PDB file of all heavy atoms in Angstrom:
ATOM      1  N   LYS A   1      -7.008  -2.848   1.185  1.00 97.00           N
ATOM      2  CA  LYS A   1      -6.970  -4.280   1.534  1.00 97.00           C
ATOM      3  C   LYS A   1      -7.133  -5.155   0.276  1.00 97.00           C
ATOM      4  O   LYS A   1      -6.448  -6.149   0.131  1.00 97.00           O
ATOM      5  CB  LYS A   1      -8.045  -4.602   2.532  1.00 97.00           C
ATOM      6  CG  LYS A   1      -7.926  -6.019   3.114  1.00 97.00           C
ATOM      7  CD  LYS A   1      -8.877  -6.236   4.286  1.00 97.00           C
ATOM      8  CE  LYS A   1      -8.632  -7.631   4.879  1.00 97.00           C
ATOM      9  NZ  LYS A   1      -9.529  -7.880   6.043  1.00 97.00           N
ATOM     10  N   LYS A   2      -8.030  -4.757  -0.592  1.00 97.00           N
ATOM     11  CA  LYS A   2      -8.249  -5.520  -1.818  1.00 97.00           C
ATOM     12  C   LYS A   2      -6.977  -5.494  -2.694  1.00 97.00           C
ATOM     13  O   LYS A   2      -6.569  -6.544  -3.201  1.00 97.00           O
ATOM     14  CB  LYS A   2      -9.418  -4.907  -2.590  1.00 97.00           C
ATOM     15  CG  LYS A   2      -9.788  -5.588  -3.899  1.00 97.00           C
ATOM     16  CD  LYS A   2     -11.066  -4.989  -4.479  1.00 97.00           C
ATOM     17  CE  LYS A   2     -11.542  -5.713  -5.722  1.00 97.00           C
ATOM     18  NZ  LYS A   2     -10.621  -5.527  -6.852  1.00 97.00           N
ATOM     19  N   ALA A   3      -6.355  -4.284  -2.813  1.00 98.00           N
ATOM     20  CA  ALA A   3      -5.158  -4.188  -3.638  1.00 98.00           C
ATOM     21  C   ALA A   3      -4.034  -5.032  -3.045  1.00 98.00           C
ATOM     22  O   ALA A   3      -3.276  -5.673  -3.817  1.00 98.00           O
ATOM     23  CB  ALA A   3      -4.729  -2.729  -3.750  1.00 98.00           C
ATOM     24  N   VAL A   4      -3.897  -5.041  -1.752  1.00 98.00           N
ATOM     25  CA  VAL A   4      -2.838  -5.815  -1.103  1.00 98.00           C
ATOM     26  C   VAL A   4      -3.072  -7.321  -1.234  1.00 98.00           C
ATOM     27  O   VAL A   4      -2.188  -8.087  -1.613  1.00 98.00           O
ATOM     28  CB  VAL A   4      -2.642  -5.426   0.364  1.00 98.00           C
ATOM     29  CG1 VAL A   4      -1.707  -6.389   1.075  1.00 98.00           C
ATOM     30  CG2 VAL A   4      -2.115  -4.002   0.479  1.00 98.00           C
ATOM     31  N   GLU A   5      -4.281  -7.721  -0.963  1.00 96.00           N
ATOM     32  CA  GLU A   5      -4.618  -9.169  -1.069  1.00 96.00           C
ATOM     33  C   GLU A   5      -4.488  -9.691  -2.467  1.00 96.00           C
ATOM     34  O   GLU A   5      -4.095 -10.830  -2.706  1.00 96.00           O
ATOM     35  CB  GLU A   5      -6.014  -9.410  -0.515  1.00 96.00           C
ATOM     36  CG  GLU A   5      -6.058  -9.249   0.988  1.00 96.00           C
ATOM     37  CD  GLU A   5      -7.458  -9.451   1.606  1.00 96.00           C
ATOM     38  OE1 GLU A   5      -8.502  -9.336   0.802  1.00 96.00           O
ATOM     39  OE2 GLU A   5      -7.577  -9.705   2.766  1.00 96.00           O
ATOM     40  N   GLU A   6      -4.803  -8.842  -3.468  1.00 97.00           N
ATOM     41  CA  GLU A   6      -4.746  -9.258  -4.873  1.00 97.00           C
ATOM     42  C   GLU A   6      -3.392  -8.949  -5.485  1.00 97.00           C
ATOM     43  O   GLU A   6      -3.182  -9.202  -6.722  1.00 97.00           O
ATOM     44  CB  GLU A   6      -5.881  -8.598  -5.676  1.00 97.00           C
ATOM     45  CG  GLU A   6      -7.262  -9.019  -5.257  1.00 97.00           C
ATOM     46  CD  GLU A   6      -8.395  -8.327  -6.020  1.00 97.00           C
ATOM     47  OE1 GLU A   6      -8.073  -7.510  -6.896  1.00 97.00           O
ATOM     48  OE2 GLU A   6      -9.535  -8.654  -5.757  1.00 97.00           O
ATOM     49  N   ARG A   7      -2.490  -8.364  -4.683  1.00 98.00           N
ATOM     50  CA  ARG A   7      -1.166  -8.016  -5.129  1.00 98.00           C
ATOM     51  C   ARG A   7      -1.201  -7.105  -6.375  1.00 98.00           C
ATOM     52  O   ARG A   7      -0.518  -7.324  -7.342  1.00 98.00           O
ATOM     53  CB  ARG A   7      -0.315  -9.265  -5.415  1.00 98.00           C
ATOM     54  CG  ARG A   7      -0.079 -10.121  -4.160  1.00 98.00           C
ATOM     55  CD  ARG A   7       0.653  -9.412  -3.072  1.00 98.00           C
ATOM     56  NE  ARG A   7       1.167 -10.197  -2.009  1.00 98.00           N
ATOM     57  CZ  ARG A   7       0.642 -10.319  -0.805  1.00 98.00           C
ATOM     58  NH1 ARG A   7      -0.460  -9.610  -0.467  1.00 98.00           N
ATOM     59  NH2 ARG A   7       1.196 -11.086   0.102  1.00 98.00           N
ATOM     60  N   ASP A   8      -2.020  -6.077  -6.263  1.00 98.00           N
ATOM     61  CA  ASP A   8      -2.159  -5.069  -7.412  1.00 98.00           C
ATOM     62  C   ASP A   8      -1.051  -4.021  -7.242  1.00 98.00           C
ATOM     63  O   ASP A   8      -1.270  -2.961  -6.639  1.00 98.00           O
ATOM     64  CB  ASP A   8      -3.553  -4.450  -7.308  1.00 98.00           C
ATOM     65  CG  ASP A   8      -3.861  -3.533  -8.473  1.00 98.00           C
ATOM     66  OD1 ASP A   8      -2.912  -3.183  -9.200  1.00 98.00           O
ATOM     67  OD2 ASP A   8      -5.008  -3.158  -8.638  1.00 98.00           O
ATOM     68  N   ALA A   9       0.115  -4.329  -7.760  1.00 98.00           N
ATOM     69  CA  ALA A   9       1.251  -3.491  -7.631  1.00 98.00           C
ATOM     70  C   ALA A   9       1.051  -2.106  -8.248  1.00 98.00           C
ATOM     71  O   ALA A   9       1.458  -1.064  -7.726  1.00 98.00           O
ATOM     72  CB  ALA A   9       2.473  -4.164  -8.243  1.00 98.00           C
ATOM     73  N   ALA A  10       0.359  -2.084  -9.389  1.00 98.00           N
ATOM     74  CA  ALA A  10       0.148  -0.794 -10.080  1.00 98.00           C
ATOM     75  C   ALA A  10      -0.636   0.169  -9.238  1.00 98.00           C
ATOM     76  O   ALA A  10      -0.344   1.370  -9.175  1.00 98.00           O
ATOM     77  CB  ALA A  10      -0.570  -1.028 -11.411  1.00 98.00           C
ATOM     78  N   TYR A  11      -1.647  -0.341  -8.511  1.00 98.00           N
ATOM     79  CA  TYR A  11      -2.483   0.526  -7.668  1.00 98.00           C
ATOM     80  C   TYR A  11      -1.643   1.112  -6.528  1.00 98.00           C
ATOM     81  O   TYR A  11      -1.703   2.329  -6.263  1.00 98.00           O
ATOM     82  CB  TYR A  11      -3.653  -0.302  -7.088  1.00 98.00           C
ATOM     83  CG  TYR A  11      -4.621   0.512  -6.283  1.00 98.00           C
ATOM     84  CD1 TYR A  11      -5.726   1.097  -6.882  1.00 98.00           C
ATOM     85  CD2 TYR A  11      -4.456   0.669  -4.902  1.00 98.00           C
ATOM     86  CE1 TYR A  11      -6.661   1.835  -6.134  1.00 98.00           C
ATOM     87  CE2 TYR A  11      -5.341   1.453  -4.156  1.00 98.00           C
ATOM     88  CZ  TYR A  11      -6.459   1.979  -4.774  1.00 98.00           C
ATOM     89  OH  TYR A  11      -7.341   2.732  -4.036  1.00 98.00           O
ATOM     90  N   ILE A  12      -0.881   0.285  -5.828  1.00 98.00           N
ATOM     91  CA  ILE A  12      -0.121   0.726  -4.663  1.00 98.00           C
ATOM     92  C   ILE A  12       0.998   1.684  -5.132  1.00 98.00           C
ATOM     93  O   ILE A  12       1.259   2.711  -4.496  1.00 98.00           O
ATOM     94  CB  ILE A  12       0.502  -0.470  -3.923  1.00 98.00           C
ATOM     95  CG1 ILE A  12      -0.621  -1.334  -3.304  1.00 98.00           C
ATOM     96  CG2 ILE A  12       1.473   0.034  -2.835  1.00 98.00           C
ATOM     97  CD1 ILE A  12      -1.495  -0.575  -2.315  1.00 98.00           C
ATOM     98  N   GLN A  13       1.623   1.386  -6.221  1.00 98.00           N
ATOM     99  CA  GLN A  13       2.712   2.277  -6.735  1.00 98.00           C
ATOM    100  C   GLN A  13       2.136   3.619  -7.178  1.00 98.00           C
ATOM    101  O   GLN A  13       2.742   4.654  -6.919  1.00 98.00           O
ATOM    102  CB  GLN A  13       3.449   1.607  -7.867  1.00 98.00           C
ATOM    103  CG  GLN A  13       4.318   0.418  -7.412  1.00 98.00           C
ATOM    104  CD  GLN A  13       5.206  -0.127  -8.494  1.00 98.00           C
ATOM    105  OE1 GLN A  13       5.553   0.565  -9.455  1.00 98.00           O
ATOM    106  NE2 GLN A  13       5.610  -1.379  -8.360  1.00 98.00           N
ATOM    107  N   ASP A  14       0.989   3.596  -7.826  1.00 98.00           N
ATOM    108  CA  ASP A  14       0.377   4.838  -8.271  1.00 98.00           C
ATOM    109  C   ASP A  14       0.015   5.714  -7.058  1.00 98.00           C
ATOM    110  O   ASP A  14       0.223   6.941  -7.043  1.00 98.00           O
ATOM    111  CB  ASP A  14      -0.800   4.567  -9.162  1.00 98.00           C
ATOM    112  CG  ASP A  14      -1.431   5.846  -9.671  1.00 98.00           C
ATOM    113  OD1 ASP A  14      -0.709   6.615 -10.361  1.00 98.00           O
ATOM    114  OD2 ASP A  14      -2.643   6.076  -9.442  1.00 98.00           O
ATOM    115  N   LEU A  15      -0.608   5.093  -6.019  1.00 98.00           N
ATOM    116  CA  LEU A  15      -1.020   5.851  -4.876  1.00 98.00           C
ATOM    117  C   LEU A  15       0.174   6.390  -4.106  1.00 98.00           C
ATOM    118  O   LEU A  15       0.172   7.478  -3.553  1.00 98.00           O
ATOM    119  CB  LEU A  15      -1.866   4.933  -3.946  1.00 98.00           C
ATOM    120  CG  LEU A  15      -2.568   5.621  -2.777  1.00 98.00           C
ATOM    121  CD1 LEU A  15      -3.432   6.783  -3.247  1.00 98.00           C
ATOM    122  CD2 LEU A  15      -3.397   4.601  -1.980  1.00 98.00           C
ATOM    123  N   THR A  16       1.259   5.627  -4.103  1.00 98.00           N
ATOM    124  CA  THR A  16       2.527   6.112  -3.506  1.00 98.00           C
ATOM    125  C   THR A  16       3.011   7.331  -4.236  1.00 98.00           C
ATOM    126  O   THR A  16       3.373   8.360  -3.604  1.00 98.00           O
ATOM    127  CB  THR A  16       3.578   5.008  -3.530  1.00 98.00           C
ATOM    128  OG1 THR A  16       3.195   3.904  -2.717  1.00 98.00           O
ATOM    129  CG2 THR A  16       4.950   5.513  -3.072  1.00 98.00           C
ATOM    130  N   ARG A  17       3.076   7.279  -5.553  1.00 98.00           N
ATOM    131  CA  ARG A  17       3.589   8.429  -6.348  1.00 98.00           C
ATOM    132  C   ARG A  17       2.698   9.639  -6.119  1.00 98.00           C
ATOM    133  O   ARG A  17       3.240  10.758  -5.958  1.00 98.00           O
ATOM    134  CB  ARG A  17       3.640   8.021  -7.831  1.00 98.00           C
ATOM    135  CG  ARG A  17       4.891   7.258  -8.235  1.00 98.00           C
ATOM    136  CD  ARG A  17       4.991   7.162  -9.721  1.00 98.00           C
ATOM    137  NE  ARG A  17       3.994   6.225 -10.263  1.00 98.00           N
ATOM    138  CZ  ARG A  17       4.235   4.928 -10.430  1.00 98.00           C
ATOM    139  NH1 ARG A  17       5.369   4.399 -10.159  1.00 98.00           N
ATOM    140  NH2 ARG A  17       3.260   4.166 -10.911  1.00 98.00           N
ATOM    141  N   GLN A  18       1.418   9.452  -6.100  1.00 98.00           N
ATOM    142  CA  GLN A  18       0.501  10.598  -5.917  1.00 98.00           C
ATOM    143  C   GLN A  18       0.787  11.262  -4.555  1.00 98.00           C
ATOM    144  O   GLN A  18       0.808  12.501  -4.468  1.00 98.00           O
ATOM    145  CB  GLN A  18      -0.951  10.113  -5.971  1.00 98.00           C
ATOM    146  CG  GLN A  18      -1.430   9.721  -7.361  1.00 98.00           C
ATOM    147  CD  GLN A  18      -2.924   9.347  -7.325  1.00 98.00           C
ATOM    148  OE1 GLN A  18      -3.749  10.092  -6.844  1.00 98.00           O
ATOM    149  NE2 GLN A  18      -3.216   8.154  -7.840  1.00 98.00           N
ATOM    150  N   GLN A  19       0.894  10.469  -3.506  1.00 98.00           N
ATOM    151  CA  GLN A  19       1.138  11.053  -2.192  1.00 98.00           C
ATOM    152  C   GLN A  19       2.509  11.748  -2.125  1.00 98.00           C
ATOM    153  O   GLN A  19       2.592  12.856  -1.532  1.00 98.00           O
ATOM    154  CB  GLN A  19       1.044   9.931  -1.077  1.00 98.00           C
ATOM    155  CG  GLN A  19      -0.309   9.387  -0.934  1.00 98.00           C
ATOM    156  CD  GLN A  19      -0.347   8.440   0.282  1.00 98.00           C
ATOM    157  OE1 GLN A  19      -0.563   8.860   1.418  1.00 98.00           O
ATOM    158  NE2 GLN A  19      -0.142   7.147   0.042  1.00 98.00           N
ATOM    159  N   ARG A  20       3.496  11.103  -2.678  1.00 98.00           N
ATOM    160  CA  ARG A  20       4.843  11.705  -2.696  1.00 98.00           C
ATOM    161  C   ARG A  20       4.848  13.006  -3.417  1.00 98.00           C
ATOM    162  O   ARG A  20       5.418  14.007  -2.930  1.00 98.00           O
ATOM    163  CB  ARG A  20       5.857  10.686  -3.277  1.00 98.00           C
ATOM    164  CG  ARG A  20       7.279  11.163  -3.299  1.00 98.00           C
ATOM    165  CD  ARG A  20       8.200  10.058  -3.758  1.00 98.00           C
ATOM    166  NE  ARG A  20       7.822   9.475  -5.002  1.00 98.00           N
ATOM    167  CZ  ARG A  20       8.050   9.986  -6.212  1.00 98.00           C
ATOM    168  NH1 ARG A  20       8.705  11.156  -6.303  1.00 98.00           N
ATOM    169  NH2 ARG A  20       7.705   9.367  -7.286  1.00 98.00           N
ATOM    170  N   GLU A  21       4.259  13.026  -4.624  1.00 97.00           N
ATOM    171  CA  GLU A  21       4.250  14.259  -5.418  1.00 97.00           C
ATOM    172  C   GLU A  21       3.404  15.351  -4.785  1.00 97.00           C
ATOM    173  O   GLU A  21       3.656  16.534  -5.048  1.00 97.00           O
ATOM    174  CB  GLU A  21       3.724  13.899  -6.830  1.00 97.00           C
ATOM    175  CG  GLU A  21       4.727  13.079  -7.632  1.00 97.00           C
ATOM    176  CD  GLU A  21       4.116  12.485  -8.894  1.00 97.00           C
ATOM    177  OE1 GLU A  21       2.946  12.800  -9.206  1.00 97.00           O
ATOM    178  OE2 GLU A  21       4.855  11.738  -9.628  1.00 97.00           O
ATOM    179  N   ALA A  22       2.460  14.973  -3.951  1.00 96.00           N
ATOM    180  CA  ALA A  22       1.596  15.976  -3.267  1.00 96.00           C
ATOM    181  C   ALA A  22       2.290  16.541  -2.034  1.00 96.00           C
ATOM    182  O   ALA A  22       1.762  17.489  -1.404  1.00 96.00           O
ATOM    183  CB  ALA A  22       0.274  15.353  -2.898  1.00 96.00           C
ATOM    184  N   GLY A  23       3.437  16.000  -1.642  1.00 96.00           N
ATOM    185  CA  GLY A  23       4.177  16.554  -0.506  1.00 96.00           C
ATOM    186  C   GLY A  23       4.478  15.608   0.639  1.00 96.00           C
ATOM    187  O   GLY A  23       5.022  16.041   1.644  1.00 96.00           O
ATOM    188  N   ALA A  24       4.189  14.311   0.536  1.00 98.00           N
ATOM    189  CA  ALA A  24       4.425  13.382   1.638  1.00 98.00           C
ATOM    190  C   ALA A  24       5.913  13.058   1.696  1.00 98.00           C
ATOM    191  O   ALA A  24       6.550  12.696   0.698  1.00 98.00           O
ATOM    192  CB  ALA A  24       3.605  12.107   1.446  1.00 98.00           C
ATOM    193  N   ASP A  25       6.474  13.159   2.911  1.00 98.00           N
ATOM    194  CA  ASP A  25       7.899  12.773   3.102  1.00 98.00           C
ATOM    195  C   ASP A  25       7.976  11.284   3.405  1.00 98.00           C
ATOM    196  O   ASP A  25       8.983  10.618   3.035  1.00 98.00           O
ATOM    197  CB  ASP A  25       8.438  13.529   4.319  1.00 98.00           C
ATOM    198  CG  ASP A  25       8.390  15.038   4.106  1.00 98.00           C
ATOM    199  OD1 ASP A  25       9.147  15.545   3.280  1.00 98.00           O
ATOM    200  OD2 ASP A  25       7.525  15.655   4.787  1.00 98.00           O
ATOM    201  N   TYR A  26       6.981  10.748   4.082  1.00 98.00           N
ATOM    202  CA  TYR A  26       6.908   9.297   4.363  1.00 98.00           C
ATOM    203  C   TYR A  26       5.544   8.807   3.851  1.00 98.00           C
ATOM    204  O   TYR A  26       4.562   9.555   3.813  1.00 98.00           O
ATOM    205  CB  TYR A  26       7.002   8.993   5.860  1.00 98.00           C
ATOM    206  CG  TYR A  26       8.377   9.066   6.438  1.00 98.00           C
ATOM    207  CD1 TYR A  26       8.923  10.262   6.858  1.00 98.00           C
ATOM    208  CD2 TYR A  26       9.162   7.911   6.538  1.00 98.00           C
ATOM    209  CE1 TYR A  26      10.189  10.324   7.397  1.00 98.00           C
ATOM    210  CE2 TYR A  26      10.431   7.960   7.080  1.00 98.00           C
ATOM    211  CZ  TYR A  26      10.947   9.190   7.525  1.00 98.00           C
ATOM    212  OH  TYR A  26      12.225   9.216   8.069  1.00 98.00           O
ATOM    213  N   ILE A  27       5.509   7.513   3.550  1.00 98.00           N
ATOM    214  CA  ILE A  27       4.250   6.844   3.204  1.00 98.00           C
ATOM    215  C   ILE A  27       3.923   5.841   4.295  1.00 98.00           C
ATOM    216  O   ILE A  27       4.615   4.800   4.403  1.00 98.00           O
ATOM    217  CB  ILE A  27       4.365   6.112   1.820  1.00 98.00           C
ATOM    218  CG1 ILE A  27       4.872   7.089   0.735  1.00 98.00           C
ATOM    219  CG2 ILE A  27       3.046   5.485   1.445  1.00 98.00           C
ATOM    220  CD1 ILE A  27       3.932   8.251   0.430  1.00 98.00           C
ATOM    221  N   ASP A  28       2.922   6.150   5.075  1.00 98.00           N
ATOM    222  CA  ASP A  28       2.516   5.202   6.122  1.00 98.00           C
ATOM    223  C   ASP A  28       2.028   3.904   5.496  1.00 98.00           C
ATOM    224  O   ASP A  28       1.301   3.919   4.491  1.00 98.00           O
ATOM    225  CB  ASP A  28       1.377   5.829   6.966  1.00 98.00           C
ATOM    226  CG  ASP A  28       1.190   5.102   8.284  1.00 98.00           C
ATOM    227  OD1 ASP A  28       2.088   5.187   9.122  1.00 98.00           O
ATOM    228  OD2 ASP A  28       0.095   4.493   8.451  1.00 98.00           O
ATOM    229  N   VAL A  29       2.484   2.772   6.050  1.00 98.00           N
ATOM    230  CA  VAL A  29       2.042   1.487   5.493  1.00 98.00           C
ATOM    231  C   VAL A  29       1.605   0.598   6.693  1.00 98.00           C
ATOM    232  O   VAL A  29       2.376   0.348   7.607  1.00 98.00           O
ATOM    233  CB  VAL A  29       3.150   0.833   4.646  1.00 98.00           C
ATOM    234  CG1 VAL A  29       4.489   0.736   5.394  1.00 98.00           C
ATOM    235  CG2 VAL A  29       2.700  -0.534   4.189  1.00 98.00           C
ATOM    236  N   ASN A  30       0.358   0.192   6.664  1.00 98.00           N
ATOM    237  CA  ASN A  30      -0.233  -0.598   7.691  1.00 98.00           C
ATOM    238  C   ASN A  30      -0.955  -1.779   7.065  1.00 98.00           C
ATOM    239  O   ASN A  30      -1.903  -1.566   6.280  1.00 98.00           O
ATOM    240  CB  ASN A  30      -1.167   0.253   8.531  1.00 98.00           C
ATOM    241  CG  ASN A  30      -1.750  -0.485   9.756  1.00 98.00           C
ATOM    242  OD1 ASN A  30      -2.063  -1.678   9.657  1.00 98.00           O
ATOM    243  ND2 ASN A  30      -1.891   0.242  10.841  1.00 98.00           N
ATOM    244  N   CYS A  31      -0.553  -2.984   7.377  1.00 98.00           N
ATOM    245  CA  CYS A  31      -1.154  -4.224   6.853  1.00 98.00           C
ATOM    246  C   CYS A  31      -1.711  -5.058   7.992  1.00 98.00           C
ATOM    247  O   CYS A  31      -1.884  -6.289   7.825  1.00 98.00           O
ATOM    248  CB  CYS A  31      -0.170  -4.989   5.995  1.00 98.00           C
ATOM    249  SG  CYS A  31       0.358  -4.148   4.482  1.00 98.00           S
ATOM    250  N   ALA A  32      -1.955  -4.427   9.128  1.00 96.00           N
ATOM    251  CA  ALA A  32      -2.314  -5.173  10.325  1.00 96.00           C
ATOM    252  C   ALA A  32      -3.653  -5.922  10.202  1.00 96.00           C
ATOM    253  O   ALA A  32      -3.870  -6.883  10.944  1.00 96.00           O
ATOM    254  CB  ALA A  32      -2.311  -4.251  11.533  1.00 96.00           C
ATOM    255  N   THR A  33      -4.497  -5.462   9.369  1.00 96.00           N
ATOM    256  CA  THR A  33      -5.850  -6.141   9.222  1.00 96.00           C
ATOM    257  C   THR A  33      -5.775  -7.363   8.331  1.00 96.00           C
ATOM    258  O   THR A  33      -6.776  -8.089   8.215  1.00 96.00           O
ATOM    259  CB  THR A  33      -6.943  -5.182   8.709  1.00 96.00           C
ATOM    260  OG1 THR A  33      -6.636  -4.771   7.372  1.00 96.00           O
ATOM    261  CG2 THR A  33      -7.047  -3.949   9.603  1.00 96.00           C
ATOM    262  N   VAL A  34      -4.660  -7.626   7.677  1.00 95.00           N
ATOM    263  CA  VAL A  34      -4.484  -8.886   6.968  1.00 95.00           C
ATOM    264  C   VAL A  34      -3.980  -9.907   7.956  1.00 95.00           C
ATOM    265  O   VAL A  34      -2.818 -10.216   8.042  1.00 95.00           O
ATOM    266  CB  VAL A  34      -3.505  -8.737   5.777  1.00 95.00           C
ATOM    267  CG1 VAL A  34      -3.466  -9.976   4.915  1.00 95.00           C
ATOM    268  CG2 VAL A  34      -3.869  -7.540   4.901  1.00 95.00           C
ATOM    269  N   LEU A  35      -4.914 -10.398   8.758  1.00 89.00           N
ATOM    270  CA  LEU A  35      -4.570 -11.168   9.938  1.00 89.00           C
ATOM    271  C   LEU A  35      -3.776 -12.439   9.653  1.00 89.00           C
ATOM    272  O   LEU A  35      -2.925 -12.865  10.447  1.00 89.00           O
ATOM    273  CB  LEU A  35      -5.855 -11.496  10.744  1.00 89.00           C
ATOM    274  CG  LEU A  35      -6.629 -10.268  11.224  1.00 89.00           C
ATOM    275  CD1 LEU A  35      -7.902 -10.734  11.911  1.00 89.00           C
ATOM    276  CD2 LEU A  35      -5.805  -9.415  12.154  1.00 89.00           C
ATOM    277  N   ASN A  36      -4.071 -13.071   8.506  1.00 93.00           N
ATOM    278  CA  ASN A  36      -3.396 -14.342   8.232  1.00 93.00           C
ATOM    279  C   ASN A  36      -2.064 -14.199   7.496  1.00 93.00           C
ATOM    280  O   ASN A  36      -1.366 -15.151   7.283  1.00 93.00           O
ATOM    281  CB  ASN A  36      -4.307 -15.248   7.383  1.00 93.00           C
ATOM    282  CG  ASN A  36      -4.693 -14.613   6.042  1.00 93.00           C
ATOM    283  OD1 ASN A  36      -4.607 -13.398   5.916  1.00 93.00           O
ATOM    284  ND2 ASN A  36      -5.068 -15.419   5.085  1.00 93.00           N
ATOM    285  N   ASP A  37      -1.722 -12.937   7.144  1.00 96.00           N
ATOM    286  CA  ASP A  37      -0.479 -12.753   6.378  1.00 96.00           C
ATOM    287  C   ASP A  37       0.044 -11.314   6.496  1.00 96.00           C
ATOM    288  O   ASP A  37       0.367 -10.674   5.493  1.00 96.00           O
ATOM    289  CB  ASP A  37      -0.677 -13.095   4.935  1.00 96.00           C
ATOM    290  CG  ASP A  37       0.617 -13.126   4.118  1.00 96.00           C
ATOM    291  OD1 ASP A  37       1.695 -13.327   4.717  1.00 96.00           O
ATOM    292  OD2 ASP A  37       0.536 -12.891   2.913  1.00 96.00           O
ATOM    293  N   GLU A  38       0.111 -10.752   7.705  1.00 97.00           N
ATOM    294  CA  GLU A  38       0.621  -9.414   7.859  1.00 97.00           C
ATOM    295  C   GLU A  38       2.011  -9.251   7.359  1.00 97.00           C
ATOM    296  O   GLU A  38       2.346  -8.298   6.630  1.00 97.00           O
ATOM    297  CB  GLU A  38       0.529  -8.912   9.293  1.00 97.00           C
ATOM    298  CG  GLU A  38       0.982  -7.469   9.461  1.00 97.00           C
ATOM    299  CD  GLU A  38       1.026  -6.934  10.855  1.00 97.00           C
ATOM    300  OE1 GLU A  38       0.700  -7.685  11.822  1.00 97.00           O
ATOM    301  OE2 GLU A  38       1.371  -5.707  11.034  1.00 97.00           O
ATOM    302  N   LEU A  39       2.904 -10.152   7.702  1.00 98.00           N
ATOM    303  CA  LEU A  39       4.319 -10.014   7.338  1.00 98.00           C
ATOM    304  C   LEU A  39       4.505 -10.116   5.837  1.00 98.00           C
ATOM    305  O   LEU A  39       5.215  -9.272   5.246  1.00 98.00           O
ATOM    306  CB  LEU A  39       5.153 -11.100   8.070  1.00 98.00           C
ATOM    307  CG  LEU A  39       5.722 -10.686   9.402  1.00 98.00           C
ATOM    308  CD1 LEU A  39       4.610 -10.480  10.411  1.00 98.00           C
ATOM    309  CD2 LEU A  39       6.704 -11.723   9.921  1.00 98.00           C
ATOM    310  N   GLY A  40       3.840 -11.054   5.207  1.00 98.00           N
ATOM    311  CA  GLY A  40       3.979 -11.206   3.733  1.00 98.00           C
ATOM    312  C   GLY A  40       3.416 -10.008   3.035  1.00 98.00           C
ATOM    313  O   GLY A  40       3.997  -9.516   2.029  1.00 98.00           O
ATOM    314  N   SER A  41       2.251  -9.522   3.505  1.00 98.00           N
ATOM    315  CA  SER A  41       1.636  -8.373   2.885  1.00 98.00           C
ATOM    316  C   SER A  41       2.450  -7.084   3.075  1.00 98.00           C
ATOM    317  O   SER A  41       2.581  -6.264   2.190  1.00 98.00           O
ATOM    318  CB  SER A  41       0.225  -8.188   3.478  1.00 98.00           C
ATOM    319  OG  SER A  41      -0.579  -9.272   3.147  1.00 98.00           O
TER     320      SER A  41
END
């Protein structure tokens, strides 16, 4: 939530790469708790 709200692209991209390289076919993405900006987030 902190990374999304602060738009920390490096953090999200690094976590994506780590999951993908570890074997993930899809990366689940849920921003539903950003109540005032779910779509933008």
